[in-house]
């Protein structure tokens, strides 16, 4: 489906696909079993432009548009969602937060490194007791008046973060911490180099999916950062998190389109070559029923993603479109992967075929960066003007 893609957009998609088919697809099963992708792929991905795609050229990126970004995320999701997560957290959640809310110094310091993946970032919002209710997070940042007067004083951070993608690999953590007791309005964002004393990341093992990706718990114990570590303004951290997550949800949705597309390809390939009762199983109507469902899910999810990316590119409001794309595409990815396994029969239950990994990876997509239920409530609020959160 190539609805009005420019030559450049198609060229990037083709480059991304051929790169990933060579460098990722043959290794993804082993990475999944090892619970770690080979990080040697990261600089190669950076060379293709995955990390710098939407970072402006003046900060070392490609200055690309969001439709191209969505195509890149789709290709990453089709190849290995673990890789998609590394890119979209580091250059998406962290890079975009810095790009849109950072000082010139912060942009100069971090963006060229994130755009080339010489440094990786992680996004520290979720805590053990605050997932959906992110505005009530409890990690604290307090000023140390002994280090300077007023706004020049250092900040000291304490708290815990959970389920942090790239947590053990990151060089810089974007940490959201409470600087006053004013709910979401008392949250501030900090850029914390992960080698700062008191910062500890512990990898979480035993995940259902996304096994190749490092997911961590972060412990902040008297982590001291200078006043210049504040991203944006004091007390504006929640807005930074929410507006960045709007774009993050687009990236997750686009990755899910890749999962659905991958499910379609493997299911069609299997159904047209596997014979039962003396003919390819693709000739059975009940198998075609499942293939048709996956195919429609791929098109519908992709169109929602492209609509949202186009809104971003045109500078239009896109938050609700991102919620719709994320809701539909993530549920579609789970549905498509289940269908793909069903088409494969017993072969779909082992990792000789990608369907099982697609299902395990897809399952988190309806949870992270805002659950399906949160997306529905955001869409419901947009439709009715009534917030279910108050
Ligand atoms: N962009 C910019 N600002 C936003 C925003 C957005 N998308 N969403 C909310 N804000 C602002 C509001 O405008 C408000 O600003 P003011 O203080 O000026 O009024 C402030 O943030 C607080 O908003 P509010 O209290 O209304 O919060 P919401 O109801 O919007 O948010 C939900 C509640 C549940 C929607 C939010 O906490 C959420 O998205 N939770 C899911 C978190 C999540 O995705 N976690 C996964 C983390 S990454 S794995």
């Amino acid at each position: 489906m190539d609805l009005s893609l420019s030559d450049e957009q198609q060229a990037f998609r083709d480059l991304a696909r051929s790169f990933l088919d060579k460098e990722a697809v043959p290794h993804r099963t082993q990475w999944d079993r090892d619970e770690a992708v080979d990080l040697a792929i990261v600089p190669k991905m950076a060379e293709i432009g995955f990390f710098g795609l939407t970072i402006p050229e003046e900060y070392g990126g490609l200055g690309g548009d969001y439709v191209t970004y969505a195509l890149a995320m789709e290709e990453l999701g089709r190849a290995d969602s673990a890789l998609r997560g590394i890119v979209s957290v580091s250059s998406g959640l962290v890079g975009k937060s810095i790009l849109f809310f950072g000082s010139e110094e912060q942009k100069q310091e971090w963006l060229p490194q994130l755009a080339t993946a010489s440094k990786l970032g992680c996004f520290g919002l979720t805590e053990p007791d605050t997932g959906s209710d992110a505005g009530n997070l409890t990690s604290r940042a307090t000023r140390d008046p002994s280090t300077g007067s007023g706004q020049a004083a250092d900040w000291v951070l304490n708290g815990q973060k959970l389920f942090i993608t790239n947590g053990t690999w990151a060089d810089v953590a974007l940490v959201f911490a409470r600087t006053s007791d004013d709910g979401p309005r008392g949250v501030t964002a900090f850029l914390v180099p992960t080698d700062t004393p008191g910062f500890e990341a512990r990898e979480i093992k035993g995940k259902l999916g996304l096994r190749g990706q490092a997911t961590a718990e972060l412990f902040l114990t008297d982590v001291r950062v200078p006043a210049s570590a504040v991203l944006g303004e004091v007390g504006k951290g929640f807005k930074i998190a929410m507006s960045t997550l709007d774009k993050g949800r687009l990236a997750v949705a686009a990755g899910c389109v890749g999962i659905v597309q991958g499910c379609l390809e493997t299911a069609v390939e299997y159904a047209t070559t596997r014979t039962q009762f003396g003919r390819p199983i693709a000739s059975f109507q009940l198998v075609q029923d499942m293939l048709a469902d996956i195919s429609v899910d791929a098109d519908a999810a992709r169109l929602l993603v492209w609509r949202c990316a186009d809104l971003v590119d045109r500078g239009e409001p896109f938050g609700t479109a991102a919620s719709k794309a994320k809701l539909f595409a993530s549920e579609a990815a789970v549905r498509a992967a289940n269908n793909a396994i069903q088409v494969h029969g017993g072969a779909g239950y082992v990792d000789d075929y990608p369907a099982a990994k697609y299902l395990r990876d897809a399952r988190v997509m309806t949870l992270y960066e805002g659950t399906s239920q949160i997306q529905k409530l955001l869409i419901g609020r947009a439709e009715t003007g009534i917030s279910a959160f108050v």
Side-chain angles (χ1 to χ4, degrees), residues 126 132 185 238-239 242-243 245-246 249 369-370 381 389:
T126 298
S132 294
R185 288 160 200 95
F238 187 72
K239 279 180 191 239
M242 288 301 110
S243 72
L245 277 174
D246 286 342
R249 288 164 186 166
E369 300 206 23
R381 181 170 72 180
F389 306 118

Side-chain angles (χ1 to χ4, degrees), residues 159-275:
Q160 210 173 318
K161 299 287 173 183
L162 191 62
F163 301 139
I164 307 303
T165 302
N166 291 348
T168 48
W169 292 337
D171 302 283
V172 60
L174 179 56
V175 174
F176 297 88
R178 180 158 299 292
T179 46
S180 77
D181 291 324
D182 194 15
R185 288 160 200 95
V187 173
T188 301
F190 295 88
L191 284 169
V192 182
T194 55
D195 58 3
T196 310
F199 185 102
E200 192 196 343
R202 286 186 212 153
E203 189 165 351
I204 298 167
K205 289 287 189 182
K207 300 194 299 269
L208 177 67
L210 295 186
R211 289 194 190 159
Q213 185 181 92
T215 305
E217 196 164 4
L218 307 182
F219 298 87
L220 304 154
T221 311
D222 293 332
V223 173
R224 179 177 293 276
V225 291
S228 60
V230 170
L231 185 79
E233 290 172 43
V234 172
K236 294 285 165 54
F238 187 72
K239 279 180 191 239
I240 294 175
M242 288 301 110
S243 72
T244 302
L245 277 174
D246 286 342
K247 290 208 178 78
R249 288 164 186 166
L250 169 60
V252 173
C256 289
V257 175
I259 293 178
V260 182
Q261 180 64 34
C263 288
L264 181 62
E265 291 170 22
T266 186
V268 167
E269 162 80 17
Y270 190 83
T272 50
T273 50
R274 166 82 172 168
T275 56

Side-chain angles (χ1 to χ4, degrees), residues 281-310:
I281 61 170
S283 67
F284 294 109
Q285 291 182 7
L286 292 179
V287 171
Q288 290 202 6
D289 174 82
M290 290 185 277
L291 297 177
D293 282 347
I294 304 174
S295 179
V296 174
D297 272 339
D299 283 5
R302 189 177 285 115
L303 286 170
L304 284 170
V305 164
W306 286 6
R307 189 266 299 261
C308 181
D310 181 57

